[in-house]
Amino acid sequence: MNAGIVGVGRYVPEKVVTNLDLEKVMDTSDEWIRTRTGIEERHIAADDEDTSDMAFNAAKNALKNAGITAEQLGLILVATVTPDQPFPSVSCMIQEQLGAVNAAAMDISAACSGYIYGLVTAKQFIENNAYDYILVVGVEKLSKITDWEDRNTAVLFGDGAAAAIVGKVSEGRGILTYELGADGTGGKYLYQNEKNYITMNGREVFKFAVRQMGQSAINVIEKAGYTKNDVDYLIPHQANIRIMESARQRLDLPSEKMAAVIKKYGNTSAASIGNALVEELENGKIHDDDLIVLVGFGGGLTWGAVAIKWGR
Ligand code: UT7
């Protein structure tokens, strides 16, 4: 029995901050942000809305979408680098809020690759029959670790949460193959500094991302016994439209076969791939038995990809 995604949900905060809003408070322009990143606006959480609140809302929606109860969860995995506090974990906080009394819970720290790390971890526990259902959440409140005086990073990020319920799916469907990777030597290019702010060497991260995203996507496709021509839909980490385009071109895909929702949300790190998946499901872009590839990269440095035959 293969493990696959049997339900999804998401949550984005109400407040929208546009590029024009940012123009008023820092030395930047709508034109620069749009042409260099593809971002037009992002959602920013309220002061009293923390990471666990967003995770809880996305998780509730995913449970409903999967048609299961919180009691049926055997494990909760929350991928985040912006937990409410180091401990208790966000996963334990939402375990209580959801009433998921039968679930173990732990957080995963893999930055923007966290949603993929979560899916792949869940796959192992489902396929060895340890649990029937696992909740995976990618969630970030990046606004609380953003230096609003650093235009190199402040224009890039947004807040939000995306959740998936992983369970058993029918023969031939589900998460077919995966790749996870890390290169700690690149940790210096993207990290949280002593003031707790995000610090980034954009050009180095850009080069790494262009190299790694396309390659990881190809790797999972080939491991699954397919070629790039078989791919129906690509869902890359929404970090920069130029990086996403390079992955799409590597797979020779037309633009209508790639999720590009970055303009509305910015880079929401661990929530980004899951949020794009939900949006494209809602848009009717993904159908049963489509071959879809989810691929991401992030701080660590880390990366990850999965090839999925969609459907339960
Ligand atoms: O989830 C993973 C997280 N990180 C990423 O994915 C980031 C990967 N990197 C990138 O997306 C790009 O490197 C950035 C969007 C961050 C930067 O784009 P770039 O084309 O690499 O620009 P740059 O860093 O080479 O900067 C070009 C110029 C610089 O001015 P000078 O030195 O040429 O005079 C910057 O100071 O653009 C300037 N600049 C800005 N100007 C207006 C940097 N940020 C801004 C800004 N507004 N917000």
Side-chain angles (χ1 to χ4, degrees):
M1 264 286 193
N2 240 2
I5 295 175
V6 301
V8 293
R10 66 166 161 176
Y11 173 83
V12 286
E14 216 174 286
K15 184 177 169 191
V16 174
V17 174
T18 66
N19 292 348
L20 298 174
D21 294 329
L22 292 179
E23 263 185 20
K24 290 180 200 142
V25 294
M26 67 181 78
D27 181 17
T28 189
S29 68
D30 172 51
E31 213 254 326
W32 191 96
I33 302 170
R34 262 190 300 108
T35 54
R36 297 287 181 125
T37 71
I39 299 165
E40 292 177 16
E41 54 190 39
R42 70 286 290 143
H43 292 249
I44 300 292
D47 289 344
D48 62 353
E49 185 174 45
D50 214 335
T51 301
S52 61
D53 301 310
M54 294 189 282
F56 170 66
N57 284 316
K60 250 189 344 191
N61 293 336
L63 287 170
K64 190 167 168 218
N65 184 249
I68 67 161
T69 63
E71 290 84 359
Q72 288 174 273
L73 294 172
L75 179 64
I76 299 174
L77 299 169
V78 174
T80 186
V81 294
T82 51
D84 298 39
Q85 66 279 311
F87 66 93
S89 60
V90 175
S91 49
C92 280
M93 294 176 77
I94 66 169
Q95 191 251 16
E96 182 198 7
Q97 289 171 313
L98 292 168
V101 291
N102 299 307
M106 65 174 169
D107 285 5
I108 293 176
S109 175
C112 311
S113 312
Y115 184 79
I116 304 284
Y117 267 71
L119 290 181
V120 172
T121 306
K123 172 180 164 72
Q124 316 306 319
F125 285 112
I126 296 295
E127 290 182 3
N128 74 14
N129 276 316
Y131 305 115
D132 291 332
Y133 295 104
I134 297 175
L135 166 65
V136 176
V137 184
V139 56
E140 302 292 0
K141 186 177 178 182
L142 292 169
S143 58
K144 70 181 174 184
I145 61 163
T146 297
D147 179 355
W148 291 100
E149 300 195 338
D150 175 16
R151 67 175 184 173
N152 290 297
T153 53
V155 302
L156 303 176
F157 301 110
D159 299 332
I165 307 294
V166 179
K168 294 180 178 69
V169 294
S170 46
E171 200 61 41
R173 288 180 173 173
I175 303 168
L176 306 177
T177 52
Y178 63 88
E179 171 175 293
L180 297 179
D183 175 10
T185 66
K188 56 182 176 286
Y189 298 137
L190 180 52
Y191 62 97
Q192 193 173 6
N193 67 22
E194 56 293 343
K195 290 184 186 155
N196 287 331
Y197 290 139
I198 302 166
T199 310
M200 182 174 70
N201 180 331
R203 281 183 204 178
E204 287 299 332
V205 177
F206 192 96
K207 281 192 283 183
F208 153 72
V210 166
R211 211 173 46 238
Q212 197 59 54
M213 284 238 287
Q215 190 57 53
S216 293
I218 300 269
N219 291 347
V220 293
I221 294 162
E222 290 182 350
K223 257 193 237 174
Y226 291 99
T227 72
K228 57 189 181 182
N229 301 328
D230 298 314
V231 175
D232 294 298
Y233 214 69
L234 173 68
I235 307 184
H237 170 39
Q238 311 281 303
N240 183 315
I241 191 72
R242 293 183 290 146
I243 298 171
M244 295 155 56
E245 283 294 329
S246 79
R248 180 178 72 74
Q249 282 156 13
R250 183 90 191 271
L251 299 188
D252 291 328
L253 285 176
S255 50
E256 62 272 16
K257 288 193 172 191
M258 179 178 78
V261 304
I262 185 170
K263 71 175 179 189
K264 288 162 65 181
Y265 305 104
N267 178 350
T268 57
S269 187
S272 131
I273 297 172
N275 180 47
L277 171 65
V278 177
E279 180 129 341
E280 299 303 42
L281 281 164
E282 286 174 4
N283 289 338
K285 299 273 184 67
I286 296 164
H287 314 98
D288 278 358
D289 292 315
D290 277 356
L291 178 65
I292 68 168
V293 175
L294 276 46
V295 59
F297 67 92
L301 299 168
T302 55
W303 61 91
V306 289
I308 299 179
K309 260 281 176 193
W310 191 255
R312 289 183 79 157

